[in-house]
Amino acid sequence: MASDARDKEISVDDYVRYVDTGTIGKVLDIKTEDEIDWVLLDKTNLWYKSKLVEVLDEKDIKVKFTPTGREFDVEELKEKVAEMENMEMDSSVAEGGG
């Protein structure tokens, strides 16, 4: 039985978040090697140590899909917009030639 960072059981088809980067993905497979549990995520097709992911409730999943099929994180997009809104525009930054 694989368990996550909070000792919750992980099953195939669960959605998990990699705690270091926030990557969210669906668990495709689970394996144990040298007494370490690993989970394979669909988004990256990479194996992650089970103790470095956390199982998400359906209400916690923030991944949305666009009509083109590309996915994005709504919260990440909001943060980027806020960063752009907080940028200061200053007329002395660049000078025109002439």
Side-chain angles (χ1 to χ4, degrees):
M1 173 185 85
S3 56
D4 72 355
R6 297 176 290 180
D7 290 325
K8 290 177 75 174
E9 185 177 346
I10 302 173
S11 301
V12 172
D13 293 334
D14 282 346
Y15 280 89
V16 297
R17 176 180 29 239
Y18 179 55
V19 295
D20 288 345
T21 63
T23 299
I24 295 173
K26 184 177 181 179
V27 176
L28 298 177
D29 196 7
I30 299 172
K31 69 179 179 179
T32 303
E33 287 186 3
D34 299 324
E35 299 181 22
I36 299 173
D37 294 321
W38 297 84
V39 294
L40 176 65
L41 300 189
D42 67 339
K43 181 175 181 179
T44 60
N45 205 35
L46 296 174
W47 290 92
Y48 296 82
K49 287 183 179 179
S50 69
K51 290 297 185 181
L52 298 178
V53 300
E54 48 189 17
V55 176
L56 297 175
D57 293 326
E58 191 170 322
K59 63 181 175 59
D60 294 330
I61 299 171
K62 296 178 182 175
V63 175
K64 303 293 182 192
F65 293 91
T66 66
T68 61
R70 297 188 62 187
E71 59 183 81
F72 64 93
D73 181 16
V74 173
E75 293 304 315
E76 181 181 333
L77 185 59
K78 287 180 185 177
E79 289 173 14
K80 286 182 181 181
V81 169
E83 287 174 12
M84 290 172 42
E85 288 175 347
N86 291 332
M87 290 175 45
E88 290 186 26
M89 299 300 286
D90 190 343
S91 62
S92 65
V93 173
E95 295 180 15

